[in-house]
Amino acid sequence: MKYSKETSTLLQDAGLDAKDVGSSEAQITLLTDRIRSLTEHVKMHKKDVHSKHGLVKLVSQRKKLLKYLRKTKLDSFDELIKKLSIRGR
């Protein structure tokens, strides 16, 4: 399967394999990128309620994946939150 250049670049920057989009680490990385871009959109368009709702859903999904990753691979979790500069624990 072929992935976009942005996806491959994001995953390589996070230290992951460019073709590994199914792992928890890769999903969290991709969600973080979408959350950051949607956050900028919501800051500019304050009355866009539908985008705010989507943002909340993405944050919730990332939170669940982070919780799973913390339970299964703590060292990978710590490394990922440092690379993505997101809060953990």
Side-chain angles (χ1 to χ4, degrees), residues 27-88:
Q27 290 180 27
I28 292 167
T29 303
L30 296 174
L31 279 172
T32 301
D33 182 56
R34 286 181 60 198
I35 288 169
R36 287 182 177 149
S37 66
L38 199 53
T39 300
E40 293 302 316
H41 172 81
V42 170
K43 284 180 183 177
M44 289 175 40
H45 306 282
K46 296 186 186 300
K47 294 187 178 187
D48 190 356
V49 179
H50 295 289
S51 291
K52 286 182 187 177
H53 179 70
L55 178 61
V56 169
K57 287 173 78 172
L58 289 175
V59 170
S60 175
Q61 186 177 1
R62 183 180 70 178
K63 182 179 176 182
K64 289 176 189 176
L65 285 169
L66 283 168
K67 184 177 178 181
Y68 168 77
L69 189 62
R70 189 174 75 204
K71 280 198 287 188
T72 56
K73 303 181 206 173
L74 186 60
D75 54 341
S76 179
F77 170 80
D78 291 333
E79 183 179 322
L80 188 66
I81 59 171
K82 286 178 187 172
K83 284 183 182 176
L84 296 177
S85 65
I86 55 177
R87 285 189 255 178

